[in-house]
Amino acid sequence: GSTGSGKSVLESAIIACLAMTKNEKEVQFYIVDPKRVDLTLFEELPNTKKVIETIEDWYKTINYLYNEVQNRSNFLKGAKCRNIREYNESHKNKMAYKILIIDELADLVEKDKYAREEKKQENIAMELPAKTGLEPTVIEALKKLIQISRAAGIHIICCTQRTSVDVVSGTVKANFPTRIALRLPQSNDSRTILDENGAENLLGKGDMLVKMADKDSLQRFHAPFVRMEDINFILEQKEMIKESLGLIG
């Protein structure tokens, strides 16, 4: 979604709804906020395991989540369960869902490029072979993770206001079964996200088109609105919420 379309409010609503209905043993957040503006507010939530602000933290987190997928996949195989839902329905000790939320994919891609250029210059200055010594690129890492993560209960919410194909590439789209477009400036931006026109005619402020894997046509919804007062209430009452949800869980 473009600036002012309601993207950050939608992200906040998703986080707030999950935090209010699921405790930290059920759902855990890994929030990537390279702008350090919108989602760092949720750092103190019991559900939030980590807020990632630097590219170095991104490399560590993506490696951790990839290893977690591998461990969970082996565990589920040993338990004779095809996915996390089957396991949680039949076992008392349940696995938590982990959700990676990327606030601005374009910023993350740019930081990654900058880190690689710096490393390359450093290697040239030291007259060493031009090896980056870095992890896979952001896009490569997302592709690698999402292809195997769903069955293990690790999901990704990825947001951007820059719809260029170097950010929202065919590889990225192919691995995200559900896509949401809030208002976009041009029809070609809509085609980049949804593969068809329409998002350029939306009203803004939460008006959105949704493309789901199991639906042939686009569906139009309006995103929920979460006020800053609501977010502050959740943060101020986090200990009470944590205790009450623990009793419910």
Side-chain angles (χ1 to χ4, degrees):
S2 59
T3 301
S5 62
K7 178 167 54 68
S8 295
V9 176
L10 175 57
E11 291 174 81
S12 297
I14 292 171
I15 295 171
C17 288
L18 287 171
M20 287 294 292
T21 56
K22 304 291 181 183
N23 65 32
E24 65 271 25
K25 294 181 180 178
E26 296 174 293
V27 172
Q28 298 170 357
F29 302 132
Y30 294 80
I31 299 173
V32 183
D33 188 4
K35 293 184 294 186
R36 307 182 187 187
V37 175
D38 295 313
L39 301 185
T40 51
L41 287 169
F42 295 103
E43 187 169 11
E44 295 182 7
L45 279 176
N47 302 73
T48 301
K49 301 298 287 184
K50 191 170 186 180
V51 173
I52 298 102
E53 297 177 343
T54 67
I55 196 67
E56 291 77 17
D57 280 344
W58 160 261
Y59 296 140
K60 292 175 185 175
T61 302
I62 204 73
N63 273 333
Y64 162 74
L65 290 174
Y66 185 78
N67 290 332
E68 182 71 5
V69 170
Q70 299 286 359
N71 294 336
R72 286 187 173 201
S73 297
N74 292 332
F75 184 79
L76 290 171
K77 184 178 178 181
K80 295 182 170 54
C81 295
R82 291 174 298 177
N83 53 54
I84 188 173
R85 181 178 295 176
E86 286 187 6
Y87 178 83
N88 285 349
E89 286 174 353
S90 57
H91 292 77
K92 190 174 287 186
N93 295 324
K94 302 183 186 305
M95 285 190 203
Y97 284 87
K98 295 179 184 287
I99 304 177
L100 176 66
I101 303 169
I102 301 173
D103 179 55
E104 181 48 74
L105 179 60
D107 282 356
L108 194 61
V109 169
E110 285 301 317
K111 285 179 180 290
D112 182 54
K113 286 180 181 177
Y114 182 74
R116 290 171 191 281
E117 287 170 5
E118 273 198 333
K119 188 69 176 177
K120 185 177 179 181
Q121 291 300 321
E122 179 185 321
N123 287 339
I124 291 172
M126 295 173 66
E127 298 182 354
L128 294 174
K131 295 180 180 178
T132 63
L134 298 174
E135 304 298 330
T137 65
V138 170
I139 301 301
E140 289 169 350
L142 280 177
K143 176 186 173 184
K144 187 178 177 183
L145 180 63
I146 202 168
Q147 284 176 334
I148 61 173
S149 64
R150 204 171 301 127
I154 295 174
H155 299 274
I156 300 172
I157 298 172
C158 191
C159 308
T160 187
Q161 64 179 12
R162 203 177 93 193
T163 55
S164 58
V165 292
D166 62 324
V167 176
V168 187
S169 64
T171 301
V172 170
K173 288 199 296 181
N175 288 287
F176 281 86
T178 300
R179 301 177 220 153
I180 297 173
L182 291 101
R183 186 179 62 189
L184 291 167
Q186 300 176 19
S187 58
N188 61 325
D189 297 317
S190 180
R191 289 194 295 273
T192 300
I193 299 297
L194 301 172
D195 298 323
E196 54 187 288
N197 296 344
E200 73 279 7
N201 296 320
L202 293 173
L203 302 175
K205 296 187 178 180
D207 192 18
M208 63 184 181
L209 291 172
V210 181
K211 184 169 190 175
M212 299 184 186
D214 58 347
K215 301 288 183 182
D216 295 329
S217 59
L218 297 178
Q219 294 180 286
R220 191 173 184 180
F221 295 99
H222 200 283
F225 178 64
V226 176
R227 302 170 302 167
M228 185 56 68
E229 291 89 339
D230 301 323
I231 294 173
N232 287 334
F233 171 78
I234 294 171
L235 296 174
E236 288 167 4
Q237 303 297 321
K238 62 183 184 295
E239 290 303 323
M240 182 186 72
I241 293 167
K242 181 177 179 181
E243 183 179 346
S244 64
L245 287 176
L247 292 172
I248 293 169

